[in-house]
Amino acid sequence: MKTIIITGANSGLGFETAKKVAKNKDYKVILACRNMEKAEQAKEKITRETGNDNITTMQLDTSSLASVRNFSEKIAASGEKVDALVNNAGITAMGNSGMTEEGFELVFATNYLGHFLLIQSLLPHMAEDGRIVNVSSDMHNPPGGGMAWPGVETIAHPAEDDRKKYSYSKLCMIYLTHELSRRLQEEGRHVIVNSFNPGFMADTNFSKGGGKARELMVKTTMPDRYGKLETSSDALAQLVTEEKFGTVSGEYFDRSTNTARSSELSYNDENAAELWKKSMEYCAL
């Protein structure tokens, strides 16, 4: 039996991806969620709809490095190998501001830094042919352009609230994908890592819903950025289960199982190296 961990799996993309993976009873799915009540409800629904009894819940708040360490220690103590890790948990910039208890900008910590530590902590416990998928967003390159790299310190410890903080966090996920893939290949490891853009999904709580009117507006005004929950979750599930994706690494998948180029800025190796170095310092690794 293979084990897949999905962060933020109690709703939206994470939930639908978990349900699709769980349809194959050869998979054990760990729903790693901040809200355990919602996680248990998601577990019950997935089990009922798929017939897979190998669905478990574990508490994980990616905004807290302490929570990430606690989660990783429990995985290590279980002795099981992790076959795939889907780093999906995230929050929007809207209504989320301030710093975490550990002193990092909240969106940066939740969307990126917690997942960085999670990867570092779980790598020793991953299967030889393990897979990692980092959920990013086309908002790493927002409409109208204007994205520039201000440096990691400015993103992690901003002097004032920055409207681009969500975009920065998703750009960081792509930098992480590129740098980690390169390092794993240099080490001769067969664990692969890719990033995935699900698109702007109007039919999820993450996008604040809005029903058919909202969906039509997004389709009409942002056709190149629109993503459908059913399609994106299906693609994400395939990326961590289908054999043909088992050797593809360092790529950016755009709302499907097709690779695409992310923004030019996302291929800056110096920025990726700077982010890696500072992230190791922030996580005391």
Side-chain angles (χ1 to χ4, degrees):
M1 181 170 292
K2 294 189 174 183
T3 298
I4 293 183
I5 298 172
I6 303 177
T7 69
N10 60 274
S11 65
L13 179 66
F15 173 80
E16 292 298 329
T17 302
K19 188 167 64 174
K20 286 181 168 63
V21 171
K23 289 180 180 179
N24 185 334
K25 296 181 182 179
D26 290 332
Y27 285 95
K28 172 183 177 180
V29 184
I30 297 176
L31 313 179
C33 307
R34 179 176 53 185
N35 186 314
M36 290 306 292
E37 181 180 353
K38 291 182 179 179
E40 287 297 326
Q41 292 172 355
K43 171 188 172 181
E44 291 176 9
K45 187 172 183 179
I46 292 172
T47 300
R48 183 173 65 252
E49 294 185 9
T50 66
N52 190 335
D53 294 323
N54 297 302
I55 312 299
T56 63
T57 61
M58 291 181 66
Q59 206 282 330
L60 173 65
D61 180 355
T62 56
S63 73
S64 165
L65 299 183
S67 177
V68 173
R69 291 190 179 96
N70 184 57
F71 176 89
S72 301
E73 287 169 1
K74 289 179 179 178
I75 293 293
S78 73
E80 65 182 322
K81 287 293 183 181
V82 177
D83 293 279
L85 171 63
V86 179
N87 292 315
N88 164 73
I91 57 175
T92 67
M94 186 181 301
N96 293 300
S97 61
M99 309 294 283
T100 67
E101 291 185 359
E102 290 151 323
F104 301 102
E105 195 282 314
L106 180 60
V107 176
F108 170 81
T110 305
N111 295 0
Y112 165 74
L113 190 61
H115 286 121
F116 176 89
L117 177 59
L118 184 62
I119 290 172
Q120 301 302 326
S121 302
L122 292 184
L123 270 175
H125 310 289
M126 293 200 73
E128 184 178 351
D129 58 349
R131 305 183 192 187
I132 300 169
V133 179
N134 296 320
V135 176
S136 182
S137 167
D138 51 20
M139 285 300 291
H140 80 276
N141 182 31
M147 275 290 285
W149 184 246
V152 185
E153 271 296 310
T154 299
I155 298 172
H157 305 108
E160 57 186 30
D161 196 49
D162 193 325
R163 293 176 59 186
K164 292 190 178 74
K165 60 188 177 184
Y166 178 78
S167 294
Y168 288 140
S169 73
K170 291 306 184 179
L171 175 60
C172 285
M173 290 297 265
I174 300 178
Y175 280 145
L176 169 59
T177 297
H178 293 164
E179 184 68 10
L180 178 60
S181 179
R182 182 186 68 77
R183 287 172 176 266
L184 289 169
Q185 290 178 38
E186 285 185 352
E187 294 170 8
R189 294 198 61 177
H190 299 293
V191 174
I192 66 166
V193 54
N194 293 293
S195 54
F196 178 74
N197 165 41
F200 188 99
M201 297 177 294
D203 46 354
T204 67
N205 290 334
F206 190 81
S207 299
K208 306 302 180 185
K212 293 297 181 182
R214 175 68 166 171
E215 184 174 358
L216 179 61
M217 184 277 288
V218 175
K219 279 184 176 179
T220 304
T221 62
M222 298 188 294
D224 293 337
R225 293 178 179 268
Y226 174 75
K228 191 168 181 59
L229 179 59
E230 178 66 22
T231 304
S232 291
S233 60
D234 187 58
L236 187 50
Q238 288 186 56
L239 290 178
V240 292
T241 60
E242 292 292 325
E243 183 178 354
K244 62 183 176 181
F245 300 113
T247 57
V248 181
S249 190
E251 297 289 347
Y252 176 80
F253 289 84
D254 184 14
R255 295 167 292 176
S256 69
T257 54
N258 296 322
T259 60
R261 276 191 67 82
S262 48
S263 70
E264 288 304 312
L265 181 61
S266 72
Y267 292 97
N268 188 302
D269 292 339
E270 291 183 3
N271 294 347
E274 178 204 0
L275 178 64
W276 183 279
K277 180 180 178 181
K278 296 300 294 186
S279 298
M280 292 291 282
E281 292 177 7
Y282 294 155
C283 295
L285 296 174

